[in-house]
Amino acid sequence: MASEMESSLEASFMSSGAVSGASGFLPPARSRIFKIIVIGDSNVGKTCLTYRFCAGRFPDRTEATIGVDFRERAVEIDGERIKIQLWDTAGQERFRKSMVQHYYRNVHAVVFVYDMTNMASFHSLPSWIEECKQHLLANDIPRILVGNKCDLRSAIQVPTDLAQKFADTHSMPLFETSAKNPNDNDHVEAIFMTLAHKLKSHKPLMLSQPPDNGIILKPEPKPAMTCWC
Amino acid sequence: MALRSAQGDGPTSSRWDGGSEKADFNTKKKKKVAEIYQALNSEPTDVAALRRMAISEGGLLNDDIRRKVWPKLLNINTNDPPPISGKNLRQLSKDYQQVLLDVRRSLRRFPPGMPDEQREGLQEELIDIILLILERNPQLHYYQGYHDIVVTFLLVVGERLATSLVEKLSTHHLRDFMDPTMDNTKHILNYLMPIIDQVNPELHDFMQSAEVGTIFALSWLITWFGHVLSDFRHVVRLYDFFLACHPLMPIYFAAVIVLYREQEVLECDCDMASVHHLLSQIPQDLPYETLISRAGDLFVQFPPSELAREAAAQQQAERTAASTFKDFELASAQQRPDMVLRQRFQGLLRSEDRTKDVLTKPRTNRFVKLAVMGLTVALGAAALAVVKSALEWAPKFQLQLFP
């Protein structure tokens, strides 16, 4: 597995041909870094989503994440080289209570993930949002909501309108996607790239500081209404 | 740096790791097998000797021996009937869903060539073992990674014996990981940086300025490296070592790995992401025997009792200390002294004479010492929670033997 899962950093640099924007070379030392934490219940697909974005494909086999895993990819946005760091966290509640908090430090954005085929994972979202509030000093940090596994159409338990209502209540854009279905590859890509664009356009120079103007990510193209499956 | 430079002068480093002197290797192996069986067959079983064998070069050598020796190291009587439950635990257990998710995803733990059907059968057994232990010990809480430990025992000793062994292990070595919260686990992780600091302050300071934290070592600690090592032979070799030693030994081993990678770490960008990423990718070709031996050295040189204050200071720095020390007391109150182990304590004292001649050889000295320290835990400290024992554990017994 070490070679399978943990090679995403390398893969992100090697897959430059396949994945638009990824660099074939090591980024210059001064490229900006966007640090994004990915949270949600166990087995909703956090590891697969981050792996899909960083390595450009669905991992063959994933295991439970213990603690915090880290994946990274260099992208180019409007001519600027930017490193996107994804912090993939353990889903089991006991880990987040005393373990994960260290990794909320200096986070630029939060991705909440639920499993569209598992209503319980959707019902857990309020506690994840609350948890996140406690750890993040600035509450205007961009947050997005991602419903994963939309390729399993017959098993969907969380209807889009319900999720959209929830997302609106919490001023988050909603994305429904699948880390697995190859046709959705661009969409996982698009989700993180949209987020990166947001961060880039709203973050001036000092990334370690929270933005001074309250950012509310309005869902621009109403992504959820057109499920990308 | 001390560790790196010391690497060259250990003539033992490659002997068991596929060294060139094949004949010598075979001779030594045969000799060790004979010694292990002698210890197994002596009356009473020479557990101290078995501990030394489990620690020393090559460990317990093969799974046949492990099936016989692991129960001895945990003081399990293999003739006792295995624990069973008449209840439908899959319906009753609150942990079933989580266990199921984790076990289903643990394909990589099984030998690559194993037929799916056989693997699926073992996965079912794995779920049953975990649920049974949790049901019998309501004070224990399941954590993701526990399944990585249980599967190792299942693959080596089979379902029946694995249940007994893991149950014992869960109430002793793994006890702190199975608290309602992970505060005690975090406390054990707090030993990591003080150990590194003792050996290599420069590396320690670099890691502190990077604010890398210790979570990169979390899966190492709570799965005894079962989650991160792909070669099963390495996993069971480490299990030999850890079963024979103090419950905090895995954190010493984690420190030794970090120290071994000193150059890589120092060449890395000094930020959390870079260092975390580097360290969490564990190299698969580590010189295990050398590192085991170093971990043992470090343990003897800087026993937990000496590091306890610093580790506690780290905890306090993180503002979580207040409740933790109460938790230790609570945890230790849940443990009970084990009379059988106490009886064996007498046996060990008798075996003191036997170990004395070995003591004259400097290399073996450490194994004896470690084995005794491990046994001390099984005798006395095992009656306490590990963290408790790590805080208060004065190796008095060891001092008597090694003035």
Side-chain angles (χ1 to χ4, degrees), chain A residues 6-58:
Chain A
E6 304 305 332
S7 63
S8 45
L9 179 63
E10 288 72 28
S12 70
F13 291 124
M14 292 187 305
S15 61
S16 57
V19 183
S20 67
S23 164
F25 303 95
L26 286 173
R30 294 193 57 214
S31 59
R32 287 203 284 174
I33 295 170
F34 292 147
K35 180 177 171 184
I36 299 168
I37 192 167
V38 181
I39 56 182
D41 272 8
S42 197
N43 205 47
V44 296
K46 300 178 290 296
T47 300
C48 292
L49 282 168
T50 58
Y51 191 85
R52 165 67 85 184
F53 179 69
C54 291
R57 62 189 177 85
F58 189 69

Side-chain angles (χ1 to χ4, degrees), chain B residues 124-185:
Chain B
E124 293 302 308
E125 291 179 6
L126 185 52
I127 294 171
D128 290 337
I129 296 173
I130 294 173
L131 294 182
L132 179 56
I133 293 171
L134 293 172
E135 197 245 351
R136 286 166 48 90
N137 302 273
Q139 80 280 18
L140 300 180
H141 298 260
Y142 176 75
Y143 62 88
Q144 288 187 304
Y146 185 67
H147 65 296
D148 287 316
I149 292 214
V150 183
V151 75
T152 308
F153 284 89
L154 176 64
L155 290 174
V156 174
V157 304
E159 183 178 18
R160 187 175 181 273
L161 197 47
T163 311
S164 307
L165 295 187
V166 177
E167 182 167 43
K168 190 62 157 286
L169 196 69
S170 305
T171 51
H172 294 80
H173 288 66
L174 308 178
R175 179 64 188 82
D176 284 305
F177 310 144
M178 306 193 75
D179 264 353
T181 74
M182 297 198 86
D183 287 345
N184 278 351
T185 306

Side-chain angles (χ1 to χ4, degrees), chain B residues 136-400:
Chain B
R136 286 166 48 90
N137 302 273
Q139 80 280 18
L140 300 180
H141 298 260
Y142 176 75
Y143 62 88
Q144 288 187 304
Y146 185 67
H147 65 296
D148 287 316
I149 292 214
V150 183
V151 75
T152 308
F153 284 89
L154 176 64
L155 290 174
V156 174
V157 304
E159 183 178 18
R160 187 175 181 273
L161 197 47
T163 311
S164 307
L165 295 187
V166 177
E167 182 167 43
K168 190 62 157 286
L169 196 69
S170 305
T171 51
H172 294 80
H173 288 66
L174 308 178
R175 179 64 188 82
D176 284 305
F177 310 144
M178 306 193 75
D179 264 353
T181 74
M182 297 198 86
D183 287 345
N184 278 351
T185 306
K186 203 172 165 188
H187 180 81
I188 293 174
L189 281 171
N190 283 339
Y191 278 78
L192 184 67
M193 294 309 288
I195 299 170
I196 293 171
D197 195 23
Q198 296 287 340
V199 182
N200 189 336
E202 188 197 355
L203 183 61
H204 169 268
D205 294 350
F206 181 90
M207 290 172 68
Q208 290 290 40
S209 10
E211 296 187 316
V212 62
T214 50
I215 304 296
F216 66 85
L218 174 66
S219 69
W220 306 356
L221 175 70
I222 65 179
T223 70
W224 280 9
F225 297 82
H227 188 74
V228 288
L229 299 182
S230 34
D231 191 329
F232 193 67
R233 288 171 303 177
H234 298 153
V235 176
V236 288
R237 170 64 188 103
L238 285 179
Y239 277 44
D240 293 341
F241 177 49
F242 295 146
L243 282 169
C245 288
H246 187 281
L248 285 176
M249 187 55 86
I251 202 71
Y252 282 79
F253 193 77
V256 162
I257 290 180
V258 176
L259 288 162
Y260 176 75
R261 304 184 72 193
E262 173 201 2
Q263 281 311 321
E264 288 172 86
V265 177
L266 292 178
E267 281 161 19
C268 187
D269 290 340
C270 188
D271 64 72
M272 180 165 93
S274 306
V275 183
H276 177 97
H277 185 69
L278 174 80
L279 287 174
S280 56
Q281 281 181 295
I282 203 163
Q284 297 295 312
D285 57 349
L286 292 169
Y288 292 93
E289 295 302 335
T290 311
L291 296 184
I292 283 172
S293 155
R294 285 180 194 163
D297 284 344
L298 282 188
F299 189 92
V300 174
Q301 216 177 337
F302 312 108
S305 54
E306 276 183 29
L307 300 172
R309 192 171 301 165
E310 276 186 72
Q314 298 227 347
Q315 185 93 341
Q316 244 140 12
E318 286 162 38
R319 289 172 301 164
T320 48
S323 62
T324 311
F325 286 97
K326 272 185 192 146
D327 290 343
F328 297 160
E329 285 165 16
L330 206 70
S332 60
Q334 289 162 355
Q335 307 281 329
R336 298 215 192 314
D338 188 320
M339 290 313 289
V340 186
L341 283 169
R342 280 189 182 182
Q343 285 158 12
R344 198 125 55 72
F345 182 78
Q346 313 291 334
L348 176 80
L349 290 179
R350 279 199 299 277
S351 72
E352 189 189 335
D353 289 342
R354 220 176 312 158
T355 59
K356 262 187 184 153
D357 60 329
V358 195
L359 287 177
T360 53
K361 298 174 198 162
R363 290 281 306 172
T364 337
N365 183 345
R366 188 186 53 241
F367 299 135
V368 174
K369 206 162 175 179
L370 272 178
V372 170
M373 290 169 113
L375 195 50
T376 312
V377 171
L379 296 164
L384 309 166
V386 177
V387 170
K388 170 95 173 165
S389 65
L391 287 173
E392 298 183 351
W393 194 67
K396 287 176 196 142
F397 181 62
Q398 169 221 343
L399 291 175
Q400 286 165 14

Side-chain angles (χ1 to χ4, degrees), chain A residues 140-151:
Chain A
D140 50 3
I141 279 176
R143 299 169 307 157
I144 64 169
L145 183 60
V146 173
N148 192 26
K149 309 190 190 180
C150 73
D151 56 305

